[in-house]
Amino acid sequence: MTDRATKEEQLAFLKNEFKDVAAMVLTSVQGLNASEVDALRRNLHTAGVNFRVVKNTLAKKATEGTQLSVIAEDFKQVTAIAWHKTDPVAPAKAVTDFKKSLETFQVKAGFQGGNRLDAEGVKALASMPSLPELRAQLLGTINGVASKLLAQLNAPGQHVASVLQAKHDADEKKAA
């Protein structure tokens, strides 16, 4: 049994984490053995996602007055949460990737952008590109336009240079 001071400390931690979370996925770790939970923790940690098994009553209290109140009713049975403060796709991607390797693993619900997501919504969110991937795509698009513009600006000079080189080569051939 957890004493009151520990519960208050856990509640304060959860409230602090929940106040500005970008995305969260609620999972059930019921039926998983210790090595499977450790593998899940490692996968989430590698992805930069926070993970914790929570007491449902504390988690419900921590969601009160926050955007996360839409998922408060999903805190039932044994619940673990995966969350990220800035990347809205990372928890869904990491949890969905882990689920591929372990079919008994269950996704209960998710949260992103003030909305509650069901298991299918979490799966759909996981299929979206992450923030770094979106940045790379945008940079590639901007860089591609600049490269094409530079190629167009250099083209007339290249054409003149190749005509002059051809004339020079032809003159040398005649002289020889």
Side-chain angles (χ1 to χ4, degrees), residues 3 5 33 43 47 61 67 82 103 107 123 135-136 150 152:
D3 67 341
N33 62 36
N43 287 356
K61 283 182 183 180
Q67 295 182 63
E103 286 298 317
V107 175
K123 190 175 179 181
R135 286 181 180 147
L150 187 59
Q152 290 298 320

Side-chain angles (χ1 to χ4, degrees), residues 99-146:
K99 184 165 176 46
K100 289 176 187 174
S101 65
L102 188 64
E103 286 298 317
T104 57
F105 180 63
Q106 291 181 352
V107 175
K108 291 181 172 186
F111 168 84
Q112 197 280 318
N115 299 314
R116 180 196 178 276
L117 305 171
D118 60 2
E120 287 302 311
V122 171
K123 190 175 179 181
L125 182 62
S127 67
M128 295 178 65
S130 67
L131 199 56
E133 290 169 339
L134 284 173
R135 286 181 180 147
Q137 289 174 358
L138 179 62
L139 222 77
T141 302
I142 291 170
N143 209 9
V145 171

Side-chain angles (χ1 to χ4, degrees), residues 53-114:
V53 177
V54 294
K55 290 189 173 287
N56 293 328
T57 53
L58 291 177
K60 283 181 184 180
K61 283 182 183 180
T63 62
E64 290 173 0
T66 68
Q67 295 182 63
L68 291 168
S69 61
V70 296
I71 60 171
E73 295 306 313
D74 293 304
F75 287 102
K76 297 175 185 164
Q77 298 172 338
V78 181
T79 305
I81 54 174
W83 75 96
H84 200 283
K85 292 216 175 215
T86 57
D87 191 343
V89 180
K93 273 190 182 297
V95 166
T96 303
D97 286 346
F98 184 76
K99 184 165 176 46
K100 289 176 187 174
S101 65
L102 188 64
E103 286 298 317
T104 57
F105 180 63
Q106 291 181 352
V107 175
K108 291 181 172 186
F111 168 84
Q112 197 280 318

